[in-house]
């Protein structure tokens, strides 16, 4: 008989945001890790919207999450699934657990439970539900009070420990004695948070859960419920949080935390993916890698155990790299809408050439758009103070000379540079003595990129018209 090696179960990861606001950087980063892990293993990345908090969940927030994932190029293979559409399934599992005896009805009112907790606290014990309604062999339960809708509690093991080998943090263990008999359904039958997560991870066949380490305390509860259901346990990995540059938890105080705000501010999704991935994960000393390399290299062993720090300067450096790397035409296509927003026009301008000129110095698409307004915006005129300072009589004569020479030649950067040099030589001037008046006269600014390149891009008609006006 031939031996066959069992094929390993295909990897299935999920991102499970609660749609209560925009997608923040921390959420985007965990999503990215789950996405990259699934892609690396040719597995499946599931998107699940945890919208059971109806007070705080909104369709706008769902849309914002979808838009952000789309922008970052993390499209799910399955989903979005919505927990609110799975209520029947949760109720079904609650019923099965009641039937199996792994869950039970508890008729204690919230006030009674609070009193139990208070009593435990007073006795110096961990505040917890005292198990009044927990069925035990040989124990007689009190009669169910009339007219009270019970909650359903999970019959958590009371002895032993619940342990797992966390993909990020290593071995973690909780004493079962520390864990309450968790409420899994409220008096009106609605399931609770941890229970929905468990049923979903089970039904969706999730093999690897990567999430923020604010969920570590939920994990032993979820594992125990999964075990009670006879479900295969996923592997868990809890990623430490992101801190601001001052070491505090990253928040609005540190700048934008909404992923889409980075789109507004002119960051490339390629750069965001690179930067976010590197924030808490490493591949040797590599700081710059493509999306494909991330997928090829991603592993959970190199997820950092310690919190990572948001570094806006490094993000700018990464973004500048992707801007420099991008083809001029592609960059032009991405910057054009930003120029239009500023009231600029791009039809009569060689925008790829403008990008080529500006991209070495730009850190964001917004900076590129600002710079491109020199070529795409209306001439702002010459500020009086600059005119007084730089358009002196000597300068005007030199500018007139330059205009004549430039008009006579070809309109290329090289020819314009030669014309500038000829004027300097003829009149014994230094470069700034012509360069600055030329910038002021033609652009209304004293600082621009290389003036010969600026003149070439502005075009013969524009430059000669603006220089001509000086002589009027
Ligand atoms: N919905 C949870 C959150 O937004 C995530 C739950 C999970 O990943 O298990 O924090």
């Amino acid at each position: 008989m031939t031996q066959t090696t069992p094929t390993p179960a295909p990897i299935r990861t999920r991102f499970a945001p609660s749609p209560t606001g925009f997608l923040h950087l921390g959420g985007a980063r965990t999503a990215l890790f789950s996405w990259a892990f699934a892609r690396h293993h040719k597995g499946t990345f599931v998107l699940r919207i945890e919208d059971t908090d109806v007070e705080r969940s909104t369709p706008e927030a769902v849309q914002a999450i979808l838009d952000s994932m789309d922008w970052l190029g993390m499209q799910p293979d399955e989903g979005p699934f919505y927990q609110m559409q799975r209520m029947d399934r949760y109720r079904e599992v609650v019923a099965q657990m009641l039937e199996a005896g792994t869950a039970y009805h508890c008729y204690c009112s919230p006030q009674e439970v609070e009193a139990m907790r208070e009593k435990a606290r007073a006795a110096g014990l961990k505040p917890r539900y005292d198990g009044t309604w927990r069925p035990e062999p040989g124990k007689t339960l009190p009669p169910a009070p009339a007219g009270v809708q019970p909650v359903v509690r999970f019959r958590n093991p009371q002895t032993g420990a619940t342990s797992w080998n966390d993909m990020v943090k290593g071995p973690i263990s909780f004493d079962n004695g520390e864990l309450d008999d968790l409420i899994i359904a409220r008096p009106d039958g609605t399931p609770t948070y941890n229970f929905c997560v468990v049923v979903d991870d089970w039904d969706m066949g999730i093999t690897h859960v990567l999430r923020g380490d604010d969920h570590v305390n939920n994990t032993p509860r979820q594992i125990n419920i999964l075990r009670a259901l006879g479900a295969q346990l996923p592997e868990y990995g809890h990623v430490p949080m992101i801190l601001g540059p001052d070491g505090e938890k990253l928040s609005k105080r540190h700048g934008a935390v909404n992923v889409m705000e980075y789109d507004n501010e002119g960051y490339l999704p390629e750069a965001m993916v690179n930067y976010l991935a590197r924030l808490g994960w490493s591949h040797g000393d590599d700081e710059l890698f493509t999306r494909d390399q991330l997928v090829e290299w991603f592993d959970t062993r190199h997820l950092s155990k310690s919190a990572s720090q948001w570094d806006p300067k490094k993000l700018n450096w990464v973004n500048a790299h992707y801007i420099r790397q991008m083809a001029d035409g592609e960059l032009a296509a991405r910057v054009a809408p930003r120029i239009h927003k500023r009231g600029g026009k791009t039809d009569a301008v060689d925008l790829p050439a403008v990008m080529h000129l500006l991209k070495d110095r730009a850190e964001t698409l917004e900076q590129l758009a600002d710079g491109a307004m020199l070529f795409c915006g209306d001439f702002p005129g010459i500020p009086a103070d600059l005119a007084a300072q730089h358009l002196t009589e000597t300068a005007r004569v030199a500018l007139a000379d330059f205009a004549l020479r430039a008009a006579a030649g070809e309109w290329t950067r090289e020819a314009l540079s030669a014309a500038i040099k000829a004027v300097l030589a003829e009149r014994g001037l230094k470069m700034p003595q012509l360069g600055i008046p030329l910038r002021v006269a033609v652009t209304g600014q004293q600082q621009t990129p290389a003036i010969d390149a600026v003149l070439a891009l502005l075009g013969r008609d524009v430059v000669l018209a603006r220089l001509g006006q000086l002589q009027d």
Side-chain angles (χ1 to χ4, degrees), residues 67 110 223 351 445:
D67 290 348
I223 288 180
L351 202 52
Q445 302 171 22

Side-chain angles (χ1 to χ4, degrees), residues 1-5:
M1 224 170 83
T2 48
Q3 287 273 329
T4 48
T5 348

